[in-house]
Amino acid sequence: MYGIIDCDNCYVSCERVFRPDLEGKPVVVLSNNDGCVVARSNEAKALGIKAGMPYFQLGQMFPGHKIAVFSSNYELYGELTGRVVDIISQEVPAYFRYSIDECFVYLQGMAQTDLAQWGKRLHEKIKRWVGMPVSIGLAPNKTLAKVASHFAKKYPGYCHCCIIDNEEKRIKALKLYPVEDVWGIGHRYAAKLAKYGVKTAYDFSVMHRDWIRLTFNNIVIERTWAELNGEDCVPNEEYAKKKSICTSRSFNGMVTDLDTLYTHVSNYAARCAAKLRAQETVASVIGVFINTNAFRDDLPQYWNFKETRLLTPTSSTVTIVQAAKDALREIFIPGYKYKKAGVIVMGVSPAFPVQQDLFDIPSEQYDKLKALDETLDRINRLYGSETLVLGAQQYTQKDGIGKANVFADAIKHDFKSKNPTTRWSDLLKLKGGE
């Protein structure tokens, strides 16, 4: 048996951990730069707030409603969901984290366990220890486990744990499950399937395998079909580690100068490097892209991408930041108003063993960079993310006399909550009664 454990309304639930007064009230979390809604509580969904709705429309479309609004706080979300995964790791034979709010578990060797009671107890333990509600789906393969988690989330009668463990349950679940929600299908393939009258996961599962193969010529779609029919064919580690990592942001306003772009790109590159180290991998190709605002027809448009291949695959922050800056320098053209930039690390492979290129930096310098990264990671774990950064990552702005002032962030987050679990300065203060 496999399972997937999914944090319910993850970002909203993280915000509610330290704001219990918001239970039962509409809450939304905004995207970077406070642009649009990316997460909603059930109460916000009931009001009619849609994912992707621009923030400025909330007041216009829902006057008189008290809606709690938060800026994205990924440091908080990553730390709290990390605690959830720590608890899960103590309760299962094996697991891997699929995303910030989802974790696959392998239940081999638990055949004698009452899985319904096990799931209920795990939900209660995570809720009591961390404050996060989770839904648990169990099934003979990962795709059916995802289906089961949907019902665990939607129907209280399952007590947060739904199990698909026989043919009757499988067929009943698939008949109620929209095909566009099936893991591996998505809206594009669902639109194509709709032309053939396929509306539910069950409709898709009863199509002939040869038809699936000829119509889509896609191994992922064929695997999805097979798993809906009860086969276990998605490799266990298929999704365990990312094969490429991208960090990108839209800017708070327009950027015209190379120095500011350098700083943005340096931050994105540093975050990519940290993610590589977190999954014990290295990258051999560093790519950078920049673009103007495609929605501004009144402005000249420009988009470009440049990639650089490293002599030795690495996860070094210094090396990856420098490679990203070099790539940016080659594609930057003055005179444009840039709205977005991003860094993509590719050619990802295991960190051990790595063979150094003969013409790369000396091994002594390689060891120094590794020690620097270990120090960066250790300090940032103890005192909060980006407590210690490279000089290239610090945003600067000019004052009235042309002197540069360092400021911490160029991303708009007017409604950002504190980080009481990762920053000493944000520790909760309790007031005793008289």
Side-chain angles (χ1 to χ4, degrees):
M1 291 287 284
Y2 294 87
I4 187 165
I5 303 171
D6 182 8
C7 296
D8 298 343
N9 299 326
C10 180
Y11 294 174
V12 168
S13 296
C14 287
E15 297 291 354
R16 281 175 165 171
V17 167
F18 298 103
R19 289 290 306 275
D21 58 302
L22 295 178
E23 290 291 339
K25 299 178 181 178
V27 181
V28 299
V29 177
L30 304 178
S31 62
N32 290 307
N33 289 318
D34 294 344
C36 59
V37 174
V38 294
R40 304 158 292 158
S41 65
N42 291 334
E43 297 78 11
K45 294 174 184 177
L47 282 179
I49 299 174
K50 304 295 184 183
M53 176 179 288
Y55 165 65
F56 71 86
Q57 290 183 358
L58 287 178
Q60 300 172 3
M61 299 184 67
F62 304 96
H65 292 282
K66 292 185 178 179
I67 302 169
V69 178
F70 291 92
S71 303
S72 297
N73 186 348
Y74 298 113
E75 181 177 338
L76 176 67
Y77 309 154
E79 205 278 333
L80 289 180
T81 55
R83 294 186 180 210
V84 172
V85 174
D86 286 343
I87 295 173
I88 293 170
S89 68
Q90 300 168 20
E91 300 288 336
V92 296
Y95 73 97
F96 77 81
R97 190 171 184 171
Y98 176 59
S99 67
I100 190 171
D101 62 342
E102 294 176 296
C103 184
F104 277 110
V105 296
Y106 309 132
L107 305 180
Q108 289 84 346
M110 296 178 63
Q112 305 304 315
T113 303
D114 184 334
L115 292 178
Q117 287 300 313
W118 172 84
K120 182 180 178 180
R121 287 194 300 269
L122 180 58
H123 163 82
E124 292 172 349
K125 183 176 182 179
I126 293 171
K127 189 72 169 70
R128 184 170 63 252
W129 287 20
V130 184
M132 294 283 289
V134 299
S135 296
I136 303 170
L138 306 176
N141 60 52
K142 300 180 190 65
T143 303
L144 287 176
K146 292 275 284 186
V147 174
S149 72
H150 166 83
F151 292 101
K153 192 185 299 285
K154 297 294 183 182
Y155 298 99
Y158 286 110
C159 298
H160 307 281
C161 180
C162 176
I163 305 174
I164 298 176
D165 56 358
N166 60 45
E167 192 68 2
E168 181 183 355
K169 291 180 181 179
R170 182 186 72 85
I171 293 173
K172 184 178 180 179
L174 297 188
K175 286 183 175 180
L176 295 172
Y177 200 72
V179 71
E180 62 266 22
D181 292 341
V182 174
W183 189 41
I185 297 295
H187 293 287
R188 184 165 65 91
Y189 288 119
K192 185 174 182 178
L193 287 166
K195 296 178 181 179
Y196 298 97
V198 175
K199 296 181 179 179
T200 68
Y202 179 76
D203 296 336
F204 179 63
S205 70
V206 297
M207 304 301 284
H208 197 279
R209 187 169 199 152
D210 290 342
W211 181 85
I212 298 293
R213 185 175 294 143
L214 291 171
T215 303
F216 294 97
N217 191 29
N218 185 306
I219 186 62
V220 174
I221 297 296
E222 188 174 343
R223 281 179 183 170
T224 297
W225 176 88
E227 292 229 337
L228 289 177
N229 281 286
E231 296 182 34
D232 177 17
C233 57
V234 174
N236 284 349
E237 302 307 321
E238 180 85 4
Y239 302 98
K241 293 183 179 180
K242 296 179 179 179
K243 303 302 186 293
S244 65
I245 297 172
C246 176
T247 301
S248 64
R249 297 283 186 273
S250 293
F251 307 138
N252 180 23
M254 303 287 190
V255 175
T256 57
D257 63 292
L258 181 58
D259 286 342
T260 303
L261 280 175
Y262 270 152
T263 309
H264 283 294
V265 166
S266 296
N267 274 287
Y268 306 157
R271 289 165 192 163
C272 286
K275 291 176 182 178
L276 286 170
R277 294 194 294 274
Q279 65 175 26
E280 297 184 346
T281 54
V282 291
S284 59
V285 180
I286 313 300
V288 174
F289 68 85
I290 52 175
N291 60 262
T292 53
N293 191 343
F295 298 101
R296 290 289 301 272
D297 295 333
D298 57 320
L299 296 175
Q301 298 296 313
Y302 175 70
W303 180 93
N304 208 340
F305 172 82
K306 172 69 178 180
E307 66 180 43
T308 300
R309 183 168 293 276
L310 304 175
L311 289 175
T312 302
T314 186
S315 61
S316 163
T317 295
V318 171
T319 304
I320 292 175
V321 167
Q322 187 58 55
K325 290 176 67 177
D326 291 343
L328 173 63
R329 189 183 304 112
E330 292 192 38
I331 59 176
F332 173 78
I333 297 178
Y336 287 99
K337 295 184 177 180
Y338 295 96
K339 184 60 178 175
K340 188 176 183 178
V343 175
I344 308 172
V345 294
M346 298 166 284
V348 176
S349 59
F352 306 100
V354 172
Q355 179 65 46
Q356 272 192 270
D357 189 279
L358 179 64
F359 301 101
D360 202 359
I361 60 176
S363 58
E364 295 83 1
Q365 189 174 345
Y366 185 87
D367 292 338
K368 288 181 180 178
L369 291 173
K370 183 178 179 182
L372 175 61
D373 288 326
E374 290 173 351
T375 302
L376 277 170
D377 293 340
R378 184 170 62 254
I379 291 175
N380 289 333
R381 271 197 308 272
L382 287 172
Y383 299 102
S385 64
E386 298 184 352
T387 298
L388 187 63
V389 298
L390 301 184
Q393 293 178 248
Q394 293 184 303
Y395 293 98
T396 60
Q397 62 182 358
K398 302 291 184 178
D399 61 17
I401 59 174
K403 184 179 179 181
N405 295 319
V406 174
F407 62 98
D409 205 333
I411 298 175
K412 183 179 181 182
H413 41 49
D414 294 340
F415 312 104
K416 186 179 178 183
S417 54
K418 293 186 176 182
N419 297 285
T421 60
T422 55
R423 295 179 182 268
W424 290 107
S425 59
D426 291 350
L427 280 177
L428 295 178
K429 297 178 181 179
L430 303 180
K431 294 182 179 180
E434 294 181 359

Short mmCIF file of all heavy atoms in Angstrom, two decimals, residues 94-145:
data_model
loop_
_atom_site.label_atom_id
_atom_site.label_comp_id
_atom_site.label_asym_id
_atom_site.label_seq_id
_atom_site.Cartn_x
_atom_site.Cartn_y
_atom_site.Cartn_z
N ALA A 94 8.98 4.01 4.95
CA ALA A 94 9.72 4.83 3.99
C ALA A 94 8.81 5.93 3.48
O ALA A 94 7.58 5.80 3.49
CB ALA A 94 10.22 3.98 2.83
N TYR A 95 9.41 7.03 3.01
CA TYR A 95 8.63 8.16 2.53
C TYR A 95 9.50 8.99 1.59
O TYR A 95 10.71 8.87 1.57
CB TYR A 95 8.16 9.03 3.68
CG TYR A 95 9.27 9.86 4.31
CD1 TYR A 95 9.47 11.18 3.96
CD2 TYR A 95 10.16 9.29 5.23
CE1 TYR A 95 10.50 11.93 4.49
CE2 TYR A 95 11.19 10.01 5.77
CZ TYR A 95 11.36 11.33 5.41
OH TYR A 95 12.40 12.07 5.93
N PHE A 96 8.86 9.87 0.81
CA PHE A 96 9.58 10.97 0.18
C PHE A 96 8.65 12.15 0.02
O PHE A 96 7.46 12.01 -0.19
CB PHE A 96 10.26 10.57 -1.14
CG PHE A 96 9.35 10.45 -2.34
CD1 PHE A 96 8.94 11.57 -3.05
CD2 PHE A 96 8.96 9.21 -2.78
CE1 PHE A 96 8.14 11.45 -4.16
CE2 PHE A 96 8.15 9.07 -3.90
CZ PHE A 96 7.74 10.20 -4.59
N ARG A 97 9.23 13.32 0.16
CA ARG A 97 8.46 14.56 0.10
C ARG A 97 8.27 14.95 -1.36
O ARG A 97 9.24 15.16 -2.08
CB ARG A 97 9.19 15.66 0.87
CG ARG A 97 8.36 16.92 1.06
CD ARG A 97 9.06 17.87 2.02
NE ARG A 97 8.24 19.05 2.29
CZ ARG A 97 8.52 19.95 3.22
NH1 ARG A 97 9.61 19.81 3.95
NH2 ARG A 97 7.73 20.99 3.40
N TYR A 98 7.01 15.06 -1.78
CA TYR A 98 6.70 15.35 -3.17
C TYR A 98 6.63 16.85 -3.43
O TYR A 98 7.03 17.32 -4.49
CB TYR A 98 5.38 14.67 -3.54
CG TYR A 98 4.89 14.97 -4.93
CD1 TYR A 98 5.67 14.65 -6.05
CD2 TYR A 98 3.66 15.57 -5.15
CE1 TYR A 98 5.23 14.92 -7.32
CE2 TYR A 98 3.21 15.84 -6.42
CZ TYR A 98 4.00 15.52 -7.51
OH TYR A 98 3.56 15.80 -8.77
N SER A 99 6.12 17.62 -2.49
CA SER A 99 6.02 19.07 -2.63
C SER A 99 6.01 19.67 -1.24
O SER A 99 6.12 18.95 -0.25
CB SER A 99 4.76 19.47 -3.41
OG SER A 99 3.60 19.14 -2.67
N ILE A 100 5.83 20.99 -1.16
CA ILE A 100 5.87 21.64 0.15
C ILE A 100 4.75 21.12 1.05
O ILE A 100 4.89 21.07 2.27
CB ILE A 100 5.79 23.18 0.01
CG1 ILE A 100 6.07 23.86 1.37
CG2 ILE A 100 4.43 23.62 -0.54
CD1 ILE A 100 6.22 25.35 1.30
N ASP A 101 3.62 20.69 0.47
CA ASP A 101 2.49 20.28 1.30
C ASP A 101 2.07 18.83 1.11
O ASP A 101 1.05 18.41 1.64
CB ASP A 101 1.29 21.20 1.03
CG ASP A 101 0.80 21.12 -0.41
OD1 ASP A 101 1.56 20.65 -1.27
OD2 ASP A 101 -0.35 21.54 -0.66
N GLU A 102 2.85 18.04 0.37
CA GLU A 102 2.49 16.65 0.12
C GLU A 102 3.68 15.72 0.36
O GLU A 102 4.80 16.05 0.00
CB GLU A 102 2.01 16.45 -1.32
CG GLU A 102 0.70 17.17 -1.65
CD GLU A 102 0.35 17.01 -3.12
OE1 GLU A 102 1.12 17.51 -3.97
OE2 GLU A 102 -0.68 16.39 -3.42
N CYS A 103 3.38 14.56 0.93
CA CYS A 103 4.43 13.59 1.21
C CYS A 103 3.90 12.19 0.89
O CYS A 103 2.86 11.78 1.43
CB CYS A 103 4.85 13.67 2.67
SG CYS A 103 6.23 12.61 3.12
N PHE A 104 4.58 11.46 0.00
CA PHE A 104 4.23 10.08 -0.28
C PHE A 104 4.84 9.18 0.80
O PHE A 104 5.95 9.42 1.27
CB PHE A 104 4.76 9.64 -1.64
CG PHE A 104 3.87 10.04 -2.79
CD1 PHE A 104 4.29 11.02 -3.68
CD2 PHE A 104 2.65 9.44 -2.99
CE1 PHE A 104 3.48 11.40 -4.75
CE2 PHE A 104 1.84 9.80 -4.05
CZ PHE A 104 2.25 10.78 -4.93
N VAL A 105 4.09 8.13 1.18
CA VAL A 105 4.60 7.17 2.15
C VAL A 105 4.40 5.76 1.59
O VAL A 105 3.48 5.50 0.82
CB VAL A 105 3.88 7.30 3.52
CG1 VAL A 105 4.17 8.64 4.13
CG2 VAL A 105 2.37 7.07 3.39
N TYR A 106 5.32 4.87 1.96
CA TYR A 106 5.26 3.47 1.56
C TYR A 106 4.93 2.64 2.80
O TYR A 106 5.63 2.76 3.81
CB TYR A 106 6.59 3.01 0.96
CG TYR A 106 7.11 3.91 -0.13
CD1 TYR A 106 8.43 4.35 -0.13
CD2 TYR A 106 6.28 4.34 -1.15
CE1 TYR A 106 8.91 5.17 -1.12
CE2 TYR A 106 6.74 5.17 -2.15
CZ TYR A 106 8.06 5.58 -2.13
OH TYR A 106 8.52 6.41 -3.12
N LEU A 107 3.91 1.80 2.72
CA LEU A 107 3.40 1.11 3.90
C LEU A 107 3.69 -0.38 3.86
O LEU A 107 2.96 -1.17 4.48
CB LEU A 107 1.90 1.37 4.04
CG LEU A 107 1.50 2.86 4.07
CD1 LEU A 107 0.00 3.01 4.21
CD2 LEU A 107 2.21 3.59 5.21
N GLN A 108 4.74 -0.78 3.14
CA GLN A 108 5.12 -2.17 3.12
C GLN A 108 5.45 -2.64 4.55
O GLN A 108 6.08 -1.92 5.32
CB GLN A 108 6.35 -2.39 2.22
CG GLN A 108 6.06 -2.23 0.74
CD GLN A 108 6.09 -0.79 0.27
OE1 GLN A 108 6.07 0.13 1.08
NE2 GLN A 108 6.15 -0.59 -1.04
N GLY A 109 4.99 -3.84 4.87
CA GLY A 109 5.24 -4.36 6.21
C GLY A 109 4.19 -3.97 7.23
O GLY A 109 4.31 -4.30 8.41
N MET A 110 3.14 -3.24 6.82
CA MET A 110 2.09 -2.81 7.74
C MET A 110 0.77 -3.51 7.43
O MET A 110 -0.30 -2.99 7.69
CB MET A 110 1.93 -1.29 7.67
CG MET A 110 3.15 -0.53 8.13
SD MET A 110 2.99 1.28 7.99
CE MET A 110 1.64 1.62 9.12
N ALA A 111 0.85 -4.72 6.88
CA ALA A 111 -0.35 -5.45 6.47
C ALA A 111 -1.26 -5.77 7.65
O ALA A 111 -2.49 -5.86 7.50
CB ALA A 111 0.04 -6.74 5.74
N GLN A 112 -0.70 -5.94 8.82
CA GLN A 112 -1.50 -6.28 9.99
C GLN A 112 -2.02 -5.05 10.72
O GLN A 112 -2.71 -5.18 11.74
CB GLN A 112 -0.66 -7.13 10.96
CG GLN A 112 -0.05 -8.38 10.34
CD GLN A 112 -1.10 -9.27 9.69
OE1 GLN A 112 -2.15 -9.53 10.28
NE2 GLN A 112 -0.82 -9.75 8.49
N THR A 113 -1.72 -3.88 10.21
CA THR A 113 -2.13 -2.65 10.87
C THR A 113 -3.52 -2.24 10.40
O THR A 113 -3.85 -2.34 9.22
CB THR A 113 -1.13 -1.51 10.55
OG1 THR A 113 0.17 -1.91 10.95
CG2 THR A 113 -1.51 -0.23 11.27
N ASP A 114 -4.35 -1.77 11.33
CA ASP A 114 -5.64 -1.18 10.97
C ASP A 114 -5.34 0.21 10.39
O ASP A 114 -5.15 1.18 11.14
CB ASP A 114 -6.54 -1.08 12.20
CG ASP A 114 -7.94 -0.55 11.87
OD1 ASP A 114 -8.07 0.18 10.86
OD2 ASP A 114 -8.87 -0.84 12.63
N LEU A 115 -5.27 0.31 9.06
CA LEU A 115 -4.79 1.54 8.43
C LEU A 115 -5.75 2.71 8.64
O LEU A 115 -5.32 3.87 8.69
CB LEU A 115 -4.57 1.30 6.93
CG LEU A 115 -3.40 0.35 6.60
CD1 LEU A 115 -3.29 0.15 5.10
CD2 LEU A 115 -2.09 0.89 7.15
N ALA A 116 -7.05 2.43 8.76
CA ALA A 116 -8.01 3.52 9.00
C ALA A 116 -7.73 4.17 10.36
O ALA A 116 -7.70 5.40 10.48
CB ALA A 116 -9.43 3.00 8.92
N GLN A 117 -7.52 3.35 11.39
CA GLN A 117 -7.20 3.88 12.71
C GLN A 117 -5.82 4.51 12.74
O GLN A 117 -5.61 5.55 13.39
CB GLN A 117 -7.30 2.77 13.75
CG GLN A 117 -8.72 2.33 14.07
CD GLN A 117 -9.55 3.48 14.62
OE1 GLN A 117 -9.11 4.22 15.51
NE2 GLN A 117 -10.75 3.63 14.08
N TRP A 118 -4.88 3.90 12.01
CA TRP A 118 -3.53 4.48 11.93
C TRP A 118 -3.58 5.88 11.33
O TRP A 118 -2.96 6.82 11.84
CB TRP A 118 -2.65 3.57 11.08
CG TRP A 118 -1.29 4.15 10.76
CD1 TRP A 118 -0.19 4.11 11.55
CD2 TRP A 118 -0.92 4.87 9.58
NE1 TRP A 118 0.86 4.75 10.93
CE2 TRP A 118 0.44 5.24 9.72
CE3 TRP A 118 -1.60 5.24 8.44
CZ2 TRP A 118 1.13 5.95 8.75
CZ3 TRP A 118 -0.92 5.94 7.45
CH2 TRP A 118 0.42 6.30 7.61
N GLY A 119 -4.33 6.05 10.23
CA GLY A 119 -4.44 7.35 9.59
C GLY A 119 -5.11 8.38 10.48
O GLY A 119 -4.69 9.53 10.55
N LYS A 120 -6.14 7.94 11.19
CA LYS A 120 -6.84 8.85 12.10
C LYS A 120 -5.92 9.32 13.21
O LYS A 120 -5.87 10.51 13.55
CB LYS A 120 -8.07 8.15 12.68
CG LYS A 120 -8.90 9.02 13.61
CD LYS A 120 -10.10 8.26 14.15
CE LYS A 120 -10.90 9.13 15.12
NZ LYS A 120 -12.07 8.40 15.67
N ARG A 121 -5.15 8.39 13.78
CA ARG A 121 -4.22 8.76 14.86
C ARG A 121 -3.12 9.68 14.35
O ARG A 121 -2.70 10.62 15.06
CB ARG A 121 -3.61 7.50 15.49
CG ARG A 121 -4.57 6.71 16.36
CD ARG A 121 -3.82 5.71 17.21
NE ARG A 121 -3.08 4.75 16.39
CZ ARG A 121 -3.58 3.59 15.97
NH1 ARG A 121 -4.82 3.24 16.28
NH2 ARG A 121 -2.84 2.78 15.24
N LEU A 122 -2.61 9.42 13.12
CA LEU A 122 -1.56 10.27 12.57
C LEU A 122 -2.08 11.69 12.35
O LEU A 122 -1.38 12.67 12.65
CB LEU A 122 -1.04 9.68 11.26
CG LEU A 122 0.07 10.47 10.55
CD1 LEU A 122 1.28 10.65 11.47
CD2 LEU A 122 0.48 9.77 9.26
N HIS A 123 -3.29 11.81 11.83
CA HIS A 123 -3.89 13.14 11.66
C HIS A 123 -3.96 13.86 13.00
O HIS A 123 -3.60 15.04 13.10
CB HIS A 123 -5.29 13.01 11.06
CG HIS A 123 -6.13 14.25 11.23
ND1 HIS A 123 -6.05 15.34 10.40
CD2 HIS A 123 -7.04 14.59 12.19
CE1 HIS A 123 -6.87 16.28 10.81
NE2 HIS A 123 -7.49 15.85 11.89
N GLU A 124 -4.43 13.16 14.03
CA GLU A 124 -4.57 13.79 15.36
C GLU A 124 -3.21 14.19 15.93
O GLU A 124 -3.08 15.24 16.56
CB GLU A 124 -5.29 12.83 16.30
CG GLU A 124 -6.76 12.61 15.92
CD GLU A 124 -7.41 11.50 16.74
OE1 GLU A 124 -6.67 10.77 17.45
OE2 GLU A 124 -8.64 11.35 16.65
N LYS A 125 -2.20 13.35 15.71
CA LYS A 125 -0.86 13.64 16.23
C LYS A 125 -0.29 14.89 15.57
O LYS A 125 0.27 15.77 16.25
CB LYS A 125 0.05 12.45 15.98
CG LYS A 125 1.46 12.60 16.54
CD LYS A 125 2.27 11.33 16.33
CE LYS A 125 3.67 11.45 16.92
NZ LYS A 125 4.46 10.20 16.73
N ILE A 126 -0.40 15.00 14.24
CA ILE A 126 0.13 16.16 13.53
C ILE A 126 -0.63 17.42 13.95
O ILE A 126 -0.02 18.49 14.16
CB ILE A 126 0.05 15.94 12.01
CG1 ILE A 126 1.00 14.83 11.58
CG2 ILE A 126 0.37 17.22 11.25
CD1 ILE A 126 0.85 14.39 10.14
N LYS A 127 -1.93 17.31 14.10
CA LYS A 127 -2.74 18.47 14.50
C LYS A 127 -2.36 18.93 15.90
O LYS A 127 -2.26 20.13 16.18
CB LYS A 127 -4.23 18.12 14.46
CG LYS A 127 -5.16 19.32 14.65
CD LYS A 127 -5.14 20.21 13.42
CE LYS A 127 -6.24 21.25 13.45
NZ LYS A 127 -6.01 22.30 14.47
N ARG A 128 -2.12 17.97 16.79
CA ARG A 128 -1.79 18.32 18.18
C ARG A 128 -0.37 18.85 18.31
O ARG A 128 -0.12 19.81 19.03
CB ARG A 128 -1.98 17.08 19.06
CG ARG A 128 -1.75 17.34 20.56
CD ARG A 128 -2.17 16.15 21.40
NE ARG A 128 -1.35 14.97 21.11
CZ ARG A 128 -1.77 13.90 20.46
NH1 ARG A 128 -3.01 13.86 20.00
NH2 ARG A 128 -0.96 12.86 20.26
N TRP A 129 0.58 18.25 17.60
CA TRP A 129 1.99 18.62 17.75
C TRP A 129 2.37 19.87 16.95
O TRP A 129 3.22 20.64 17.39
CB TRP A 129 2.89 17.46 17.35
CG TRP A 129 2.91 16.33 18.33
CD1 TRP A 129 1.97 16.05 19.29
CD2 TRP A 129 3.91 15.32 18.46
NE1 TRP A 129 2.31 14.92 19.99
CE2 TRP A 129 3.51 14.45 19.51
CE3 TRP A 129 5.09 15.04 17.79
CZ2 TRP A 129 4.26 13.34 19.88
CZ3 TRP A 129 5.85 13.94 18.16
CH2 TRP A 129 5.45 13.10 19.21
N VAL A 130 1.79 20.03 15.77
CA VAL A 130 2.18 21.15 14.89
C VAL A 130 1.05 22.16 14.72
O VAL A 130 1.30 23.34 14.51
CB VAL A 130 2.63 20.62 13.50
CG1 VAL A 130 3.12 21.77 12.63
CG2 VAL A 130 3.72 19.57 13.64
N GLY A 131 -0.19 21.69 14.80
CA GLY A 131 -1.32 22.59 14.56
C GLY A 131 -1.81 22.58 13.13
O GLY A 131 -2.66 23.40 12.76
N MET A 132 -1.28 21.66 12.30
CA MET A 132 -1.63 21.60 10.88
C MET A 132 -2.62 20.46 10.62
O MET A 132 -2.36 19.32 11.00
CB MET A 132 -0.38 21.37 10.04
CG MET A 132 0.62 22.52 10.05
SD MET A 132 0.08 23.88 9.03
CE MET A 132 0.31 23.17 7.40
N PRO A 133 -3.75 20.74 9.96
CA PRO A 133 -4.66 19.65 9.56
C PRO A 133 -4.15 18.98 8.29
O PRO A 133 -3.66 19.64 7.38
CB PRO A 133 -5.98 20.39 9.30
CG PRO A 133 -5.55 21.76 8.86
CD PRO A 133 -4.27 22.07 9.61
N VAL A 134 -4.24 17.66 8.23
CA VAL A 134 -3.81 16.92 7.04
C VAL A 134 -4.90 15.95 6.62
O VAL A 134 -5.76 15.56 7.42
CB VAL A 134 -2.50 16.13 7.28
CG1 VAL A 134 -1.36 17.08 7.64
CG2 VAL A 134 -2.68 15.05 8.34
N SER A 135 -4.86 15.57 5.33
CA SER A 135 -5.73 14.53 4.80
C SER A 135 -4.86 13.41 4.28
O SER A 135 -3.80 13.65 3.69
CB SER A 135 -6.61 15.09 3.68
OG SER A 135 -7.48 16.09 4.18
N ILE A 136 -5.31 12.17 4.47
CA ILE A 136 -4.49 11.00 4.13
C ILE A 136 -5.27 10.11 3.17
O ILE A 136 -6.42 9.75 3.43
CB ILE A 136 -4.13 10.21 5.40
CG1 ILE A 136 -3.39 11.12 6.39
CG2 ILE A 136 -3.28 8.98 5.06
CD1 ILE A 136 -3.20 10.52 7.77
N GLY A 137 -4.64 9.79 2.03
CA GLY A 137 -5.22 8.88 1.07
C GLY A 137 -4.35 7.64 0.94
O GLY A 137 -3.13 7.76 0.78
N LEU A 138 -4.95 6.45 1.03
CA LEU A 138 -4.22 5.19 0.97
C LEU A 138 -4.79 4.33 -0.15
O LEU A 138 -6.01 4.25 -0.33
CB LEU A 138 -4.32 4.44 2.30
CG LEU A 138 -3.92 5.21 3.56
CD1 LEU A 138 -4.16 4.36 4.80
CD2 LEU A 138 -2.46 5.63 3.49
N ALA A 139 -3.89 3.68 -0.91
CA ALA A 139 -4.33 2.86 -2.05
C ALA A 139 -3.17 1.98 -2.51
O ALA A 139 -2.03 2.16 -2.06
CB ALA A 139 -4.82 3.75 -3.18
N PRO A 140 -3.43 1.06 -3.45
CA PRO A 140 -2.35 0.18 -3.93
C PRO A 140 -1.30 0.87 -4.80
O PRO A 140 -0.27 0.28 -5.10
CB PRO A 140 -3.10 -0.88 -4.75
CG PRO A 140 -4.51 -0.81 -4.30
CD PRO A 140 -4.74 0.63 -3.94
N ASN A 141 -1.55 2.10 -5.25
CA ASN A 141 -0.55 2.85 -6.02
C ASN A 141 -0.71 4.34 -5.76
O ASN A 141 -1.67 4.78 -5.11
CB ASN A 141 -0.62 2.52 -7.52
CG ASN A 141 -1.98 2.87 -8.12
OD1 ASN A 141 -2.47 3.99 -7.97
ND2 ASN A 141 -2.58 1.92 -8.82
N LYS A 142 0.23 5.11 -6.25
CA LYS A 142 0.27 6.54 -5.92
C LYS A 142 -0.89 7.32 -6.53
O LYS A 142 -1.43 8.24 -5.90
CB LYS A 142 1.60 7.13 -6.39
CG LYS A 142 2.83 6.49 -5.76
CD LYS A 142 4.10 7.13 -6.29
CE LYS A 142 5.33 6.35 -5.87
NZ LYS A 142 5.35 4.99 -6.47
N THR A 143 -1.27 7.00 -7.76
CA THR A 143 -2.34 7.74 -8.41
C THR A 143 -3.67 7.54 -7.70
O THR A 143 -4.42 8.50 -7.45
CB THR A 143 -2.47 7.32 -9.89
OG1 THR A 143 -1.20 7.51 -10.54
CG2 THR A 143 -3.52 8.14 -10.61
N LEU A 144 -3.98 6.31 -7.33
CA LEU A 144 -5.21 6.06 -6.58
C LEU A 144 -5.14 6.65 -5.18
O LEU A 144 -6.15 7.08 -4.61
CB LEU A 144 -5.48 4.55 -6.51
CG LEU A 144 -5.95 3.90 -7.81
CD1 LEU A 144 -6.08 2.39 -7.64
CD2 LEU A 144 -7.28 4.50 -8.29
N ALA A 145 -3.94 6.71 -4.60
CA ALA A 145 -3.78 7.35 -3.29
C ALA A 145 -4.12 8.84 -3.38
O ALA A 145 -4.74 9.40 -2.47
CB ALA A 145 -2.35 7.15 -2.77
#
